[in-house]
Amino acid sequence: MPPTPDPTPAALPPTLPAPTPGRTLLVLGHGSHLNADSARAVHAHARTLQGAGFDEVLTGFWKEEPSLRQVLRTARYREVTVLPAFISEGYFTEEVIPRELGLRHQGRVPDGGVTETVAGRTVHYLRPYGIHAAMTGVLLDRAREVCPTWTPERTALVVLGHGTRRNPRSKEAIEAAARRAGATGLFAHAAALYLDEPPHAADWREHTGGLDVIMVPFFASEGWHTLDTMPAELGLSGPVSHLDGRVVSYARPVGTHPAVGSVLTRLVQEAPARPAPVAADHAAAWAALATAAEGGLDVGELRVTPQPDGTFALHHAADAGAPGLTRVPLDDLATWTGRDNQGEHRPIRTRRGLPRGWQARVPRDDLRAALHAVYPAVTEEAHAWDAGKLPVTPWADTAARQSGRYRPVRRATPETVQAARERLCAGCLRTPLWAGEPLAATFLSGGTGLPCAEACTLLVSDVAHLLEAPHP
Ligand code: SF4
């Protein structure tokens, strides 16, 4: 787990040293509103990168929390390296992520990355790992897993990508991987095929002659596409299918292979980050949380209670005094609280539905990690709101910067946005400041409020759906 912050200098006894300078690594992924599969690989990468020399490693997501808009605020240090855990360059790595992080840079990221100052932090934004030449070895490992031996003259390799018409460069990493694998001489032919653009995966027969075929999804994670969409498009019945008299082997995605860890480690260690002091806003927020927790604290549906031995107990507020609560280790807390009691994925953690029946016990130094696991970014944003330093983004501005499949929300009427608010925000513990709702005091300043400074992607997505098919 990431190390926890020390209190602010003002809260420290005079004999304690100032916090040591350090570096934060942010590993960013797509995430999903629907299931936890997509984020799983990103969390695994972050665990691997704990040993890469950074003082803390955090994650952030497009469709989950902490969101790309929130995540920089959760970084403890003023020096932040950002690694997009994406398989190819293109729409997300060159447009969406830089824009949402607040970088001025748009477009191709040069070798060595882009360095900018955002929200008081020096941000080193890197290229995605999928473009690294070492991914060819990972690709071949995946092929060998599903098909331990093959005859090169009788076997074709198909590298499967998602593809998108929104950015022609998203194909480059997949094409390069197919080219490099083909150059090994291990296959009679190597081709790159796509789900969403030509040449289409569904036409694989046209691109492989009468050869046996090994297909490897060049995807960052296991999920809907690799488990459902792709096998259905390809007409496969399992890892090994017999089709038209030939053997077709379908591998697991490259992004979940353990060897990706060494590719990631090499990438982030080449980044130019130097240790820097703790960010003042971050230190102040967590000092305020620690002080408030000493008297017992409710944060949303979570209750934090100081214990006589100096630790803190965390559980659902409605479980106070309940017997038989399951003890959850700190390392499992994010996963445990990422589903509700019906097992449904909770991409926006502050929507009601924190599961019941568990408890965690953490020392004071781990309070930050525990709160971050249950309600990421909430403490930093609440403290900023109380200090008058949380910028609020009105709906019109959020809508105006949407692109791709969310671009249509620019034409949403106030009534449509209101309908989405009633469907989603009504079940959320945050106060939608972006819609003009008032919030007097947060849980850090004597109230119970949790600020929402701008519409989350779940709400944006709901507005888009309402435009496509208005609900009755
Ligand atoms: Fe919650 Fe609504 Fe804010 Fe989304 S937009 S985080 S649902 S208050």
Side-chain angles (χ1 to χ4, degrees), residues 65-66 70 74 349-350 371-380 430:
E65 288 187 326
Q70 301 167 320
T74 70
R349 298 302 183 100
T350 51
L371 262 293
H372 184 84
V374 179
Y375 287 137
V378 158
T379 298
E380 294 91 342
R430 293 184 189 252

Side-chain angles (χ1 to χ4, degrees), residues 65 348 350-351 421 424-426 428-432 434 452 454-459:
E65 288 187 326
I348 304 301
T350 51
R351 295 199 72 221
R421 271 181 63 197
L424 295 176
C425 304
C428 187
L429 298 158
R430 293 184 189 252
T431 301
W434 56 268
C452 174
E454 72 175 81
C456 64
T457 59
L458 190 62
L459 188 124

